[in-house]
Amino acid sequence: MAFEITNEMLVGSLMPVIVYWVYGGLYTILGYSCNNYRLHPKEDEDEKNFASKKTVIKGVLGQQFRQFIATNLLYMITRGNDPGASSGQSTSFFAIATRQFIVAMFVFDIYQYFLHRYLHQNKFLYKHLHSKHHRLVVSYPFGAIYSHPIEGLLFDIIGGTMAIYISGMSPLTSAFFSSFCNMKSVDDHCGLMLPWNPFHIFFTNNTVYHDLHHQIYGGKYNFSQPFFSIWDKILGTYMPYSLEKRVEGGFKLRPLKEFKN
């Protein structure tokens, strides 16, 4: 049987890209009118970062192209099968997808925590790979997956592929999972602490949690991503924090314990 890219595969690989830019665009628009919820003044995005927005957009588009290729290769190799769907007609699609989401979330979280922490602890890898992502000290929505191509391969392509494959997702289910991951990543980097944000209600690993990690003092803390904070708390890399209102509007993030240089 010849390998071919089906419509379902195209949806599975293109939908997360569209969701990333639409969701990121929504947050970018909100950023102009929600100064009272910003973690950093708007002008800091240009003044405190070490990569231009043009460079970031080019880097993200390159990463998404590589993800598109890798995702379709995975679908062709596994032939887009969904092992869970064939286990019994009585099991609903929703029940199967929920189980697969939970498995994929935990696989992705475990993989990303230990890889992320190692990229910070290994000075060579930090300097030549991960430091590119940290050129965005003041993160913003569409810079969420800006990174070195090799880091993008390790984090998103290999990590995402592992989570999708182990959980047994079909192309359609993986499209929703990858889109969900992109929304969570954009949310973590949006720089806005909006009230009633569902991600902030269901996940303690949120916009503020990750923003602390992007600060100069936070590089040795809060490695967990994208969903849970459990590994930071178990392994002693969690940095608690508080939010204070700025006089000029927005919030100021403060760490609540001494940090290592």
Side-chain angles (χ1 to χ4, degrees):
M1 178 178 177
F3 291 159
E4 61 178 347
I5 297 178
T6 65
N7 289 335
E8 188 181 17
M9 293 178 184
L10 286 175
V11 171
S13 54
L14 286 176
M15 191 169 103
V17 175
I18 295 170
V19 167
Y20 181 92
W21 290 105
V22 171
Y23 196 62
L26 174 64
Y27 264 123
T28 300
I29 294 170
L30 287 173
Y32 287 101
S33 59
C34 295
N35 287 329
N36 287 335
Y37 301 105
R38 294 188 67 90
L39 298 178
H40 305 275
K42 177 68 176 174
E43 57 269 19
D44 283 2
E45 292 179 4
D46 296 314
E47 295 176 1
K48 293 189 176 181
N49 287 334
F50 300 95
S52 69
K53 289 182 177 177
K54 181 179 179 181
T55 299
V56 170
I57 291 172
K58 288 172 61 177
V60 169
L61 288 173
Q63 172 65 9
Q64 289 177 327
F65 175 75
R66 291 185 288 273
Q67 286 178 328
F68 174 83
I69 299 298
T71 301
N72 280 291
L73 284 175
L74 171 66
Y75 292 156
M76 287 190 288
I77 292 170
T78 61
R79 302 198 177 185
N81 288 334
D82 182 358
S86 61
S87 62
Q89 295 295 325
S90 61
T91 308
S92 70
F93 170 81
F94 180 77
I96 294 171
T98 299
R99 184 189 71 233
Q100 292 172 337
F101 256 65
I102 293 171
V103 171
M105 288 168 70
F106 276 99
V107 170
F108 205 29
D109 244 51
I110 293 169
Y111 175 83
Q112 289 223 359
Y113 173 83
F114 288 99
L115 175 60
H116 189 193
R117 182 173 178 175
Y118 184 67
L119 288 180
H120 274 271
Q121 292 177 332
N122 186 301
K123 293 182 179 180
F124 177 85
L125 291 179
Y126 181 82
K127 178 180 179 180
H128 295 284
L129 296 184
H130 193 53
S131 64
K132 183 170 183 177
H133 181 68
H134 279 271
R135 290 177 187 174
L136 301 184
V137 179
V138 178
S139 57
Y140 46 81
F142 58 83
I145 62 170
Y146 174 66
S147 62
H148 189 283
I150 295 178
E151 180 182 343
L153 171 68
L154 294 172
F155 265 112
D156 299 318
I157 296 176
I158 294 179
T161 298
M162 184 186 305
I164 289 169
Y165 182 75
I166 291 175
S167 63
M169 290 180 175
S170 68
L172 182 60
T173 307
S174 72
F176 286 103
F177 176 72
S178 298
S179 297
F180 181 64
C181 289
N182 277 350
M183 291 175 68
K184 182 63 170 62
S185 185
V186 167
D187 199 89
D188 288 346
H189 292 84
C190 73
L192 294 172
M193 196 62 180
L194 295 173
W196 305 111
N197 183 332
F199 283 120
H200 295 171
I201 295 171
F202 291 105
F203 299 102
T204 57
N205 187 343
N206 54 33
T207 307
V208 185
Y209 190 98
H210 193 69
D211 189 85
L212 185 147
H213 174 74
H214 269 262
Q215 304 314 302
I216 302 300
Y217 58 77
K220 296 181 183 292
Y221 303 97
N222 294 12
F223 298 115
S224 293
Q225 59 183 46
F227 300 111
F228 311 110
S229 56
I230 183 172
W231 292 109
D232 277 318
K233 293 177 179 178
I234 290 175
L235 298 175
T237 53
Y238 172 61
M239 171 66 80
Y241 53 83
S242 66
L243 281 179
E244 300 175 2
K245 291 290 291 184
R246 295 178 185 269
V247 175
E248 63 273 24
F251 297 101
K252 183 176 181 60
L253 173 62
R254 290 191 182 278
L256 292 183
K257 69 178 184 180
E258 285 192 27
F259 48 84
K260 301 175 185 177
N261 292 327

